[in-house]
Amino acid sequence: MTRFVFVTGGVVSSLGKGIASASLGAILEGRGIKVSLVKLDPYINVDPGTMSPFQHGEVFVTNDGAETDLDLGHYERFVRTTSTRNSNFTTGRIYERVIAKERRGDYLGATVQVIPHITDEIRRCIKLGAGDADVCMVEVGGTVGDIESLPFLEGIRQMAVEIGRHNCVFMHLTLVPIVGGGEIKTKPTQHSVKELRSIGIQPDVLLCRSRDQLPDEQRRKISLFTNVEERAVISAVDSDDIYKIPLLLHEQGLDDIVLDRLRISAPPTDLSDWKAVVEAKFATDAEVNVAMVGKYVQIRDSYISLNEALVHAGLKTHTKVKVHYVEATDIERDGAGCLAGMDAILVPGGFGERGIEGKIEAVRYARENSIPYLGICLGMQVACIEFARHRLGLAAANSTEFNRDTPDPVIALITEWRDLNHGTVTRDERSDLGGTMRLGAQPARLEAGSEAARVYGAQVIRERHRHRYEFNNTYLEPMRAAGMRFSGFSEDDLVEVIELPGHPWFVAVQFHPEFTSTPRDSHPLFAGFIRAARAAHAEQGAATGTAAAPQSAAQA
Ligand code: GLN
């Protein structure tokens, strides 16, 4: 039987419920418990797939091809369980399911209402997401007191009645601000718990976000006012490293509190691999500068998995990775000069035309100046466009995503390039040919002897996809002849990996390796990329070293 930890948040949003849930998951997993995680999101979009990264940060893609909330990325970085499409439910998706049933007549003439129909569906979905785990962590998005999250809170309250209160833990994350001359304020926490209790949920654990460790006196006070036992009032101090959080929460006995309440006996936790992750940060012996050329760069959450993947690669290779965010539109305006001195360049995934020419310029800069390059999804597509334009002389080569009338659609919807190839479709007819998104994990075979096969140490890989457009195979032979290597293909012969032999390190992929990178394992492509950046950095250092030597000799 699965037991549940329900995680809610109060006072303000963005307190890090996702990371707190994931961290507790990591500690429990360290005690040999099988965990699963479910995220409930109060917004009405059926999934975040259509939401702008500016609005909602990154869209995380699961193995089974669902576009989900970025918190699922945290989950997968912290626990070994892989999320599925049933790990994330939004209000929109719950209503969609209920309305579909209503239309089918499943409710047999009943008036369909929030309670019980929506809340029943919420409970059903939670159980779907929980699977056969021993403990399922259920994170309710939003903040207690929001109108939108009420049905979810009601749903989890009912669930405790259904499966037994003793099989559930309610964990509430709040803020304990420090104001003025360092005064610790517990009132917002008191109020937020009051709000939660008014809808019938008495929390068992409070995670109090604060700058510093809460003094015992304040913990006692919070305990008294909120009816939460004192040892379960836990400080969640601001941390410079999210991977420290499992250790910090374990030190305060969070896992014992949770397991005691759930009456689960488990061996002591083994967090040695998390200690190793935290220590690896201090064991660096080189620093590299990586430019990330994107278009959502001012919103860090937009590339959260990517940023983490670079951190992981740094841990793996003992490298301090300094990421420099470059707006592609700045390159369009001022040229690629800002990339001078970078040890490596990365172009991440993206949608839409804005910034495309800047990204193409960044690729050109990396290729011509022999700077290691990693292209991801759109980053592979722009690499192909750049190569076609400047090595094949197809000056107007483009993706049909950005120019529907390009004479050389090196990147296009499959329907477009196949039909163009057979000459059966006119340009105007093309407009009706919609592309369906290629989503989720799919196998690719790597060419023996390629850089991709070398870094992966494998011939067949499985990586997650999220894109519509593909490399147009009509251009395979001419691009090959001009020196591009196509080193990975899908089962249906779509291009998955390209590289440039003769360049120090130039690899671009049609999939998203960042979604499967974890702090404990890192990801071979990112590790390969950072190793190449290190080599480039050492070479640059050697070059300036030799330049400096004669000078100092002259001074001497
Ligand atoms: N916009 C491109 C496509 O749809 C790339 C998508 C991406 O980078 N995720 O194919």
Side-chain angles (χ1 to χ4, degrees):
M1 185 197 122
T2 303
R3 294 175 170 86
F4 288 87
V5 177
F6 297 110
V7 186
T8 54
V11 187
V12 292
S13 58
S14 304
L15 288 179
K17 267 191 311 245
I19 290 174
S21 309
S23 297
L24 176 56
I27 315 172
L28 294 180
E29 225 182 48
R31 298 190 67 162
I33 288 166
K34 184 166 183 214
V35 299
S36 57
L37 291 116
V38 174
K39 173 84 195 280
L40 303 174
D41 277 308
Y43 51 78
I44 300 180
N45 305 57
V46 173
D47 65 42
T50 52
M51 281 156 95
S52 156
F54 286 120
Q55 286 274 319
H56 194 257
E58 164 187 290
V59 172
F60 185 79
V61 180
T62 58
N63 222 22
D64 60 354
E67 298 178 277
T68 66
D69 185 78
L70 57 80
D71 272 331
L72 271 69
H74 290 311
Y75 302 166
E76 290 205 4
R77 288 187 279 275
F78 280 84
V79 304
R80 297 290 185 198
T81 319
T82 313
S83 304
T84 69
R85 60 179 57 257
N86 289 333
S87 308
N88 188 198
F89 291 93
T90 66
T91 295
R93 190 156 164 224
I94 302 279
Y95 271 79
E96 190 184 46
R97 291 167 65 100
V98 169
I99 291 169
K101 287 182 187 171
E102 187 274 331
R103 292 289 84 185
R104 274 202 312 263
D106 291 5
Y107 295 115
L108 304 171
T111 307
V112 181
Q113 294 178 299
V114 173
I115 302 172
H117 302 99
I118 294 295
T119 48
D120 280 355
E121 196 60 37
I122 289 171
R123 288 197 267 159
R124 207 168 288 130
C125 289
I126 290 173
K127 285 179 221 156
L128 262 181
D132 61 353
D134 303 319
V135 176
C136 174
M137 324 265 315
V138 180
E139 180 192 345
V140 182
T143 310
V144 170
D146 295 348
I147 293 177
E148 311 186 295
S149 40
L150 265 178
F152 287 121
L153 296 170
E154 173 61 15
I156 62 174
R157 185 196 66 77
Q158 291 175 5
M159 197 125 168
V161 179
E162 177 190 339
I163 63 170
R165 182 65 178 85
H166 51 282
N167 291 319
C168 303
V169 168
F170 286 100
M171 184 162 99
H172 189 57
L173 187 63
T174 75
L175 177 70
V176 179
I178 299 179
V179 298
E183 240 185 298
I184 300 172
K185 292 297 183 189
T186 64
K187 193 73 82 190
T189 297
Q190 295 176 34
H191 276 294
S192 149
V193 173
K194 203 169 145 198
E195 186 81 34
L196 201 55
R197 290 169 66 184
S198 75
I199 49 177
I201 296 174
Q202 164 65 52
D204 305 304
V205 180
L206 292 180
L207 289 187
C208 305
R209 268 303 292 274
S210 60
R211 197 187 62 198
D212 310 312
Q213 195 75 22
L214 284 182
D216 286 346
E217 189 198 327
Q218 306 298 331
R219 293 184 38 237
R220 210 167 299 134
K221 186 171 167 191
I222 292 173
S223 160
L224 210 56
F225 275 102
T226 59
N227 221 8
V228 172
E229 55 171 330
E230 198 181 314
R231 68 165 186 152
V233 178
I234 288 180
S235 283
V237 291
D238 299 349
S239 171
D240 55 341
D241 179 359
I242 54 171
Y243 301 123
K244 256 189 215 161
I245 294 172
L247 301 168
L248 294 175
L249 295 179
H250 170 65
E251 275 164 20
Q252 298 178 75
L254 177 62
D255 42 324
D256 280 336
I257 295 166
V258 168
L259 294 178
D260 286 354
R261 287 209 68 96
L262 297 175
R263 303 172 336 281
I264 296 176
S265 53
T269 192
D270 176 6
L271 293 179
S272 51
D273 37 1
W274 290 102
K275 285 194 190 105
V277 165
V278 170
E279 281 158 16
K281 194 175 161 185
F282 301 101
T284 56
D285 54 19
E287 180 178 294
V288 296
N289 294 295
V290 176
M292 192 193 298
V293 182
K295 70 171 191 177
Y296 316 107
V297 289
Q298 68 277 50
I299 313 280
R300 291 297 142 83
D301 269 1
S302 313
Y303 297 116
I304 190 161
S305 292
L306 199 49
N307 288 328
E308 291 305 312
L310 289 167
V311 170
H312 306 157
L315 299 176
K316 178 85 178 179
T317 60
H318 308 294
T319 313
K320 183 163 190 214
V321 179
K322 279 179 80 174
V323 181
H324 303 255
Y325 299 92
V326 179
E327 272 293 343
T329 44
D330 289 350
I331 295 183
E332 289 174 4
R333 197 188 52 224
D334 307 327
C338 59
L339 299 175
M342 290 292 142
D343 301 312
I345 295 172
L346 189 157
V347 174
F351 292 82
E353 196 190 344
R354 190 173 65 83
I356 280 302
E357 293 301 322
K359 291 177 192 177
I360 293 171
E361 263 318 294
V363 175
R364 182 180 196 166
Y365 192 89
R367 185 176 57 77
E368 290 181 344
N369 295 288
S370 299
I371 299 172
Y373 177 78
L374 175 60
I376 292 177
C377 207
L378 181 63
M380 184 196 96
Q381 299 177 352
V382 289
C384 294
I385 296 169
E386 192 280 328
F387 194 83
R389 285 188 189 175
H390 304 123
R391 299 284 301 158
L392 253 67
L394 307 175
N398 213 330
S399 162
T400 52
E401 182 180 2
F402 314 123
N403 176 6
R404 289 200 35 226
D405 294 317
T406 171
D408 289 295
V410 288
I411 307 291
L413 300 175
I414 298 186
T415 42
E416 288 174 344
W417 53 264
R418 289 217 170 118
D419 293 338
L420 272 177
N421 197 14
H422 298 139
T424 53
V425 178
T426 69
R427 284 180 187 276
D428 283 333
E429 279 169 321
R430 275 193 320 176
S431 60
D432 290 322
L433 297 170
T436 32
M437 189 84 99
R438 185 142 76 105
L439 278 169
Q442 294 179 4
R445 55 198 149 74
L446 303 178
E447 198 185 71
S450 64
E451 180 59 16
R454 192 187 70 77
V455 296
Y456 274 97
Q459 297 286 299
V460 178
I461 56 169
R462 275 184 76 81
E463 293 282 11
R464 297 184 197 176
H465 292 252
R466 180 177 183 242
H467 58 103
R468 281 195 183 84
Y469 294 81
E470 305 282 353
F471 179 80
N472 180 347
N473 283 2
T474 317
Y475 291 89
L476 268 180
E477 283 321 314
M479 298 272 271
R480 252 187 206 132
M484 181 170 271
R485 182 172 194 171
F486 295 89
S487 53
F489 286 91
S490 71
E491 279 176 333
D492 45 358
D493 291 321
L494 297 169
V495 170
E496 295 272 16
V497 189
I498 62 155
E499 43 194 84
L500 292 181
H503 184 286
W505 206 88
F506 192 108
V507 180
V509 296
Q510 186 56 78
F511 45 78
H512 289 275
E514 69 272 27
F515 293 142
T516 45
S517 176
T518 71
R520 289 183 277 184
D521 306 323
S522 176
H523 186 287
L525 256 184
F526 286 96
F529 177 56
I530 294 303
R531 287 198 179 101
R534 281 179 69 116
H537 189 83
E539 208 165 283
Q540 263 197 30
T544 42
T546 42
Q551 239 180 39
S552 43
Q555 275 161 13

